Amino acid sequence: MEERLQKILSACGIASRRAAEGYITAGRVTVNGQVAGLGDKADPERDEIRVDGRPVRREEQRTYVLLHKPRGYVTTLSDEKGRKTVAQLVEGCGARVWPVGRLDLDSEGLLLLTDDGDLTHRLIHPSHEVEKEYRVWVQGDAEGALPVLTGPMTLDGAPLRRAKVKIIGRHGEETVLSFLIHEGKNRQIRRMCAMAGLEVRRLRRIREGPIRLGDLPPGTWRNLTEEEVSALKCLHF
């Protein structure tokens, strides 16, 4: 059965769909010896598909990794500025995996990595809005900020789904907030807090959909269990 090339490449563990589109646009993908174009389709059982001259084969085995990302690491596979990357932390996982979504340089916590392009697309697509839970340490008038944080907010010209935010503790001059959000806009929580007059001092993601960080130490990773993988794939997108 014919499918779009970017879907085939992601299903084969070559790259995420978005990255695969870049491969196609750059002329790196051929089908039966002809350079493919964006929007082209192929049948992986019948057609010869190659990336950079190497044949593409559908693989059934996939790798799903949960990393406790520490602060000071960028969520990329490589970095032109020479900064430490999350790819360096999961080198021993036995597969070429990529991050599912992002955590900025100064944020920490749960980060999923996989070579499953289809699942990556489903988890990060804006329309799917997988719930994410964070612990956020802030300075400022947290009680006064709550009505702003839980009310209607707009980022990048688009309205956000209302966040669920509550105070769960205090440490000296810092207040600890629990954040539940569905989108994953760039530095979303930090920008929301700034709009509410708060300064974020620390931010940790502790849950994404059904997957929890638990007591995994910073800088370490583990493979997801079969039950966790099934729970991710059974999310109602």
Side-chain angles (χ1 to χ4, degrees):
M1 183 178 70
E2 287 194 341
E3 300 175 295
R4 289 189 180 275
L5 280 173
Q6 58 265 40
K7 183 177 181 180
I8 295 173
L9 295 183
S10 67
C12 292
I14 303 299
S16 68
R17 289 193 191 186
R18 184 173 299 177
E21 289 175 356
Y23 291 1
I24 296 168
T25 302
R28 298 171 59 184
V29 182
T30 62
V31 178
N32 299 325
Q34 301 296 314
V35 176
L38 198 60
D40 285 357
K41 295 182 178 182
D43 183 341
E45 302 298 329
R46 182 192 66 205
D47 297 315
E48 182 185 63
I49 305 168
R50 292 177 176 262
V51 176
D52 296 333
R54 289 174 291 188
V56 170
R57 294 182 176 86
R58 190 179 294 272
E59 300 174 359
E60 296 302 326
Q61 188 65 36
R62 293 285 176 263
T63 300
Y64 305 90
V65 169
L66 166 57
L67 169 69
H68 187 159
K69 176 196 170 301
R71 287 183 283 185
Y73 283 77
V74 292
T75 310
T76 56
L77 299 182
S78 61
D79 185 70
E80 59 185 16
K81 297 180 181 179
R83 295 173 295 183
K84 295 178 290 186
T85 72
V86 296
Q88 295 169 320
L89 296 174
V90 297
E91 286 179 336
C93 74
R96 182 185 179 277
V97 294
W98 53 76
V100 180
R102 290 183 178 273
L103 281 174
D104 63 52
L105 180 69
D106 297 321
S107 297
E108 59 190 284
L110 185 155
L111 182 68
L112 298 176
L113 299 99
T114 185
D115 54 4
D116 186 333
D118 283 335
L119 184 61
T120 301
H121 174 75
R122 294 166 68 194
L123 289 175
I124 68 175
H125 195 280
S127 65
H128 296 150
E129 299 184 346
V130 177
E131 187 175 73
K132 305 171 186 69
E133 183 176 358
Y134 298 81
R135 292 289 180 266
V136 186
W137 289 255
V138 299
Q139 283 188 331
D141 181 6
E143 289 186 2
L146 285 181
V148 178
L149 293 171
T150 58
M153 299 190 80
T154 300
L155 283 182
D156 302 327
L160 299 174
R161 283 188 59 179
R162 292 200 181 198
K164 296 179 181 179
V165 186
K166 62 182 179 181
I167 296 173
I168 60 172
R170 300 186 190 278
H171 293 279
E173 296 181 353
E174 295 180 350
T175 302
V176 186
L177 302 177
S178 168
F179 256 86
L180 289 177
I181 63 173
H182 292 80
E183 302 92 344
K185 292 182 179 293
N186 184 38
R187 298 175 69 85
Q188 178 175 333
I189 291 178
R190 295 180 186 276
R191 294 163 67 190
M192 291 173 65
C193 286
M195 293 167 64
L198 299 177
E199 179 187 358
V200 174
R201 305 293 295 172
R202 188 176 183 184
L203 187 154
R204 177 189 296 153
R205 183 159 62 202
I206 63 170
R207 181 173 63 83
E208 182 167 356
I211 309 302
R212 294 186 176 275
L213 179 63
D215 57 2
L216 188 67
T220 64
W221 62 271
R222 66 171 177 83
N223 291 112
L224 294 186
T225 66
E226 291 184 7
E227 292 77 13
E228 288 172 325
V229 173
S230 295
L232 280 176
K233 292 184 176 182
C234 289
L235 286 173
H236 297 291
F237 293 116

